[in-house]
mmCIF file with all atom_site columns, all heavy atoms in Angstrom:
data_model
loop_
_atom_site.group_PDB
_atom_site.id
_atom_site.type_symbol
_atom_site.label_atom_id
_atom_site.label_alt_id
_atom_site.label_comp_id
_atom_site.label_asym_id
_atom_site.label_entity_id
_atom_site.label_seq_id
_atom_site.pdbx_PDB_ins_code
_atom_site.Cartn_x
_atom_site.Cartn_y
_atom_site.Cartn_z
_atom_site.occupancy
_atom_site.B_iso_or_equiv
_atom_site.pdbx_formal_charge
_atom_site.auth_seq_id
_atom_site.auth_comp_id
_atom_site.auth_asym_id
_atom_site.auth_atom_id
_atom_site.pdbx_PDB_model_num
ATOM 1  N N   . GLY A 1 81 ? 5.039  26.268  -14.053 1.00 0.00 ? 81 GLY A N   1
ATOM 2  C CA  . GLY A 1 81 ? 4.440  25.942  -15.333 1.00 0.00 ? 81 GLY A CA  1
ATOM 3  C C   . GLY A 1 81 ? 4.496  24.460  -15.615 1.00 0.00 ? 81 GLY A C   1
ATOM 4  O O   . GLY A 1 81 ? 4.881  23.653  -14.761 1.00 0.00 ? 81 GLY A O   1
ATOM 5  N N   . LEU A 1 82 ? 4.122  24.120  -16.819 1.00 0.00 ? 82 LEU A N   1
ATOM 6  C CA  . LEU A 1 82 ? 4.092  22.726  -17.259 1.00 0.00 ? 82 LEU A CA  1
ATOM 7  C C   . LEU A 1 82 ? 5.441  22.376  -17.876 1.00 0.00 ? 82 LEU A C   1
ATOM 8  O O   . LEU A 1 82 ? 5.939  23.093  -18.740 1.00 0.00 ? 82 LEU A O   1
ATOM 9  C CB  . LEU A 1 82 ? 2.968  22.567  -18.289 1.00 0.00 ? 82 LEU A CB  1
ATOM 10 C CG  . LEU A 1 82 ? 2.414  21.189  -18.547 1.00 0.00 ? 82 LEU A CG  1
ATOM 11 C CD1 . LEU A 1 82 ? 1.839  20.573  -17.279 1.00 0.00 ? 82 LEU A CD1 1
ATOM 12 C CD2 . LEU A 1 82 ? 1.327  21.267  -19.611 1.00 0.00 ? 82 LEU A CD2 1
ATOM 13 N N   . SER A 1 83 ? 6.037  21.280  -17.426 1.00 0.00 ? 83 SER A N   1
ATOM 14 C CA  . SER A 1 83 ? 7.332  20.872  -17.963 1.00 0.00 ? 83 SER A CA  1
ATOM 15 C C   . SER A 1 83 ? 7.232  19.504  -18.613 1.00 0.00 ? 83 SER A C   1
ATOM 16 O O   . SER A 1 83 ? 6.348  18.706  -18.279 1.00 0.00 ? 83 SER A O   1
ATOM 17 C CB  . SER A 1 83 ? 8.394  20.819  -16.856 1.00 0.00 ? 83 SER A CB  1
ATOM 18 O OG  . SER A 1 83 ? 8.090  19.811  -15.922 1.00 0.00 ? 83 SER A OG  1
ATOM 19 N N   . VAL A 1 84 ? 8.139  19.243  -19.560 1.00 0.00 ? 84 VAL A N   1
ATOM 20 C CA  . VAL A 1 84 ? 8.261  17.879  -20.078 1.00 0.00 ? 84 VAL A CA  1
ATOM 21 C C   . VAL A 1 84 ? 8.937  17.051  -18.993 1.00 0.00 ? 84 VAL A C   1
ATOM 22 O O   . VAL A 1 84 ? 9.751  17.559  -18.222 1.00 0.00 ? 84 VAL A O   1
ATOM 23 C CB  . VAL A 1 84 ? 9.086  17.810  -21.396 1.00 0.00 ? 84 VAL A CB  1
ATOM 24 C CG1 . VAL A 1 84 ? 8.374  18.512  -22.516 1.00 0.00 ? 84 VAL A CG1 1
ATOM 25 C CG2 . VAL A 1 84 ? 10.488 18.335  -21.214 1.00 0.00 ? 84 VAL A CG2 1
ATOM 26 N N   . CYS A 1 85 ? 8.562  15.778  -18.924 1.00 0.00 ? 85 CYS A N   1
ATOM 27 C CA  . CYS A 1 85 ? 9.231  14.852  -18.024 1.00 0.00 ? 85 CYS A CA  1
ATOM 28 C C   . CYS A 1 85 ? 9.387  13.525  -18.752 1.00 0.00 ? 85 CYS A C   1
ATOM 29 O O   . CYS A 1 85 ? 8.658  13.249  -19.709 1.00 0.00 ? 85 CYS A O   1
ATOM 30 C CB  . CYS A 1 85 ? 8.463  14.668  -16.703 1.00 0.00 ? 85 CYS A CB  1
ATOM 31 S SG  . CYS A 1 85 ? 6.858  13.868  -16.837 1.00 0.00 ? 85 CYS A SG  1
ATOM 32 N N   . ASN A 1 86 ? 10.353 12.764  -18.347 1.00 0.00 ? 86 ASN A N   1
ATOM 33 C CA  . ASN A 1 86 ? 10.555 11.437  -18.939 1.00 0.00 ? 86 ASN A CA  1
ATOM 34 C C   . ASN A 1 86 ? 11.020 10.505  -17.851 1.00 0.00 ? 86 ASN A C   1
ATOM 35 O O   . ASN A 1 86 ? 11.845 10.846  -17.015 1.00 0.00 ? 86 ASN A O   1
ATOM 36 C CB  . ASN A 1 86 ? 11.535 11.497  -20.120 1.00 0.00 ? 86 ASN A CB  1
ATOM 37 C CG  . ASN A 1 86 ? 12.888 12.036  -19.753 1.00 0.00 ? 86 ASN A CG  1
ATOM 38 O OD1 . ASN A 1 86 ? 13.828 11.278  -19.552 1.00 0.00 ? 86 ASN A OD1 1
ATOM 39 N ND2 . ASN A 1 86 ? 13.013 13.345  -19.653 1.00 0.00 ? 86 ASN A ND2 1
ATOM 40 N N   . TRP A 1 87 ? 10.432 9.309   -17.877 1.00 0.00 ? 87 TRP A N   1
ATOM 41 C CA  . TRP A 1 87 ? 10.706 8.313   -16.857 1.00 0.00 ? 87 TRP A CA  1
ATOM 42 C C   . TRP A 1 87 ? 10.979 6.979   -17.514 1.00 0.00 ? 87 TRP A C   1
ATOM 43 O O   . TRP A 1 87 ? 10.481 6.703   -18.608 1.00 0.00 ? 87 TRP A O   1
ATOM 44 C CB  . TRP A 1 87 ? 9.521  8.186   -15.903 1.00 0.00 ? 87 TRP A CB  1
ATOM 45 C CG  . TRP A 1 87 ? 9.389  9.358   -14.994 1.00 0.00 ? 87 TRP A CG  1
ATOM 46 C CD1 . TRP A 1 87 ? 8.664  10.500  -15.220 1.00 0.00 ? 87 TRP A CD1 1
ATOM 47 C CD2 . TRP A 1 87 ? 10.009 9.531   -13.726 1.00 0.00 ? 87 TRP A CD2 1
ATOM 48 N NE1 . TRP A 1 87 ? 8.800  11.363  -14.162 1.00 0.00 ? 87 TRP A NE1 1
ATOM 49 C CE2 . TRP A 1 87 ? 9.613  10.786  -13.224 1.00 0.00 ? 87 TRP A CE2 1
ATOM 50 C CE3 . TRP A 1 87 ? 10.864 8.731   -12.963 1.00 0.00 ? 87 TRP A CE3 1
ATOM 51 C CZ2 . TRP A 1 87 ? 10.052 11.264  -11.991 1.00 0.00 ? 87 TRP A CZ2 1
ATOM 52 C CZ3 . TRP A 1 87 ? 11.292 9.215   -11.734 1.00 0.00 ? 87 TRP A CZ3 1
ATOM 53 C CH2 . TRP A 1 87 ? 10.885 10.460  -11.252 1.00 0.00 ? 87 TRP A CH2 1
ATOM 54 N N   . GLY A 1 88 ? 11.753 6.161   -16.832 1.00 0.00 ? 88 GLY A N   1
ATOM 55 C CA  . GLY A 1 88 ? 12.035 4.829   -17.322 1.00 0.00 ? 88 GLY A CA  1
ATOM 56 C C   . GLY A 1 88 ? 11.911 3.815   -16.209 1.00 0.00 ? 88 GLY A C   1
ATOM 57 O O   . GLY A 1 88 ? 12.041 4.149   -15.029 1.00 0.00 ? 88 GLY A O   1
ATOM 58 N N   . ALA A 1 89 ? 11.632 2.578   -16.615 1.00 0.00 ? 89 ALA A N   1
ATOM 59 C CA  . ALA A 1 89 ? 11.554 1.469   -15.668 1.00 0.00 ? 89 ALA A CA  1
ATOM 60 C C   . ALA A 1 89 ? 12.275 0.270   -16.268 1.00 0.00 ? 89 ALA A C   1
ATOM 61 O O   . ALA A 1 89 ? 12.175 0.012   -17.470 1.00 0.00 ? 89 ALA A O   1
ATOM 62 C CB  . ALA A 1 89 ? 10.104 1.108   -15.369 1.00 0.00 ? 89 ALA A CB  1
ATOM 63 N N   . LEU A 1 90 ? 13.012 -0.432  -15.430 1.00 0.00 ? 90 LEU A N   1
ATOM 64 C CA  . LEU A 1 90 ? 13.664 -1.680  -15.792 1.00 0.00 ? 90 LEU A CA  1
ATOM 65 C C   . LEU A 1 90 ? 13.059 -2.754  -14.898 1.00 0.00 ? 90 LEU A C   1
ATOM 66 O O   . LEU A 1 90 ? 13.038 -2.604  -13.677 1.00 0.00 ? 90 LEU A O   1
ATOM 67 C CB  . LEU A 1 90 ? 15.167 -1.581  -15.570 1.00 0.00 ? 90 LEU A CB  1
ATOM 68 C CG  . LEU A 1 90 ? 16.036 -2.766  -15.998 1.00 0.00 ? 90 LEU A CG  1
ATOM 69 C CD1 . LEU A 1 90 ? 17.435 -2.281  -16.367 1.00 0.00 ? 90 LEU A CD1 1
ATOM 70 C CD2 . LEU A 1 90 ? 16.106 -3.850  -14.950 1.00 0.00 ? 90 LEU A CD2 1
ATOM 71 N N   . VAL A 1 91 ? 12.529 -3.811  -15.532 1.00 0.00 ? 91 VAL A N   1
ATOM 72 C CA  . VAL A 1 91 ? 11.818 -4.837  -14.781 1.00 0.00 ? 91 VAL A CA  1
ATOM 73 C C   . VAL A 1 91 ? 12.421 -6.205  -15.069 1.00 0.00 ? 91 VAL A C   1
ATOM 74 O O   . VAL A 1 91 ? 12.716 -6.535  -16.214 1.00 0.00 ? 91 VAL A O   1
ATOM 75 C CB  . VAL A 1 91 ? 10.311 -4.818  -15.146 1.00 0.00 ? 91 VAL A CB  1
ATOM 76 C CG1 . VAL A 1 91 ? 9.568  -5.950  -14.472 1.00 0.00 ? 91 VAL A CG1 1
ATOM 77 C CG2 . VAL A 1 91 ? 9.679  -3.484  -14.780 1.00 0.00 ? 91 VAL A CG2 1
ATOM 78 N N   . GLU A 1 92 ? 12.616 -6.968  -13.996 1.00 0.00 ? 92 GLU A N   1
ATOM 79 C CA  . GLU A 1 92 ? 13.003 -8.380  -14.068 1.00 0.00 ? 92 GLU A CA  1
ATOM 80 C C   . GLU A 1 92 ? 11.898 -9.176  -13.389 1.00 0.00 ? 92 GLU A C   1
ATOM 81 O O   . GLU A 1 92 ? 11.303 -8.706  -12.420 1.00 0.00 ? 92 GLU A O   1
ATOM 82 C CB  . GLU A 1 92 ? 14.294 -8.638  -13.283 1.00 0.00 ? 92 GLU A CB  1
ATOM 83 C CG  . GLU A 1 92 ? 15.514 -7.942  -13.769 1.00 0.00 ? 92 GLU A CG  1
ATOM 84 C CD  . GLU A 1 92 ? 16.672 -8.213  -12.819 1.00 0.00 ? 92 GLU A CD  1
ATOM 85 O OE1 . GLU A 1 92 ? 17.376 -9.223  -13.023 1.00 0.00 ? 92 GLU A OE1 1
ATOM 86 O OE2 . GLU A 1 92 ? 16.854 -7.436  -11.863 1.00 0.00 ? 92 GLU A OE2 1
ATOM 87 N N   . LYS A 1 93 ? 11.656 -10.382 -13.867 1.00 0.00 ? 93 LYS A N   1
ATOM 88 C CA  . LYS A 1 93 ? 10.628 -11.230 -13.247 1.00 0.00 ? 93 LYS A CA  1
ATOM 89 C C   . LYS A 1 93 ? 10.951 -11.465 -11.785 1.00 0.00 ? 93 LYS A C   1
ATOM 90 O O   . LYS A 1 93 ? 12.087 -11.752 -11.428 1.00 0.00 ? 93 LYS A O   1
ATOM 91 C CB  . LYS A 1 93 ? 10.522 -12.557 -13.987 1.00 0.00 ? 93 LYS A CB  1
ATOM 92 C CG  . LYS A 1 93 ? 9.824  -12.426 -15.317 1.00 0.00 ? 93 LYS A CG  1
ATOM 93 C CD  . LYS A 1 93 ? 9.617  -13.757 -15.996 1.00 0.00 ? 93 LYS A CD  1
ATOM 94 C CE  . LYS A 1 93 ? 8.874  -13.494 -17.291 1.00 0.00 ? 93 LYS A CE  1
ATOM 95 N NZ  . LYS A 1 93 ? 9.037  -14.502 -18.282 1.00 0.00 ? 93 LYS A NZ  1
#
Side-chain angles (χ1 to χ4, degrees):
L82 201 59
S83 65
V84 294
C85 66
N86 59 100
W87 288 90
L90 185 152
V91 175
E92 297 175 89
K93 286 185 178 157

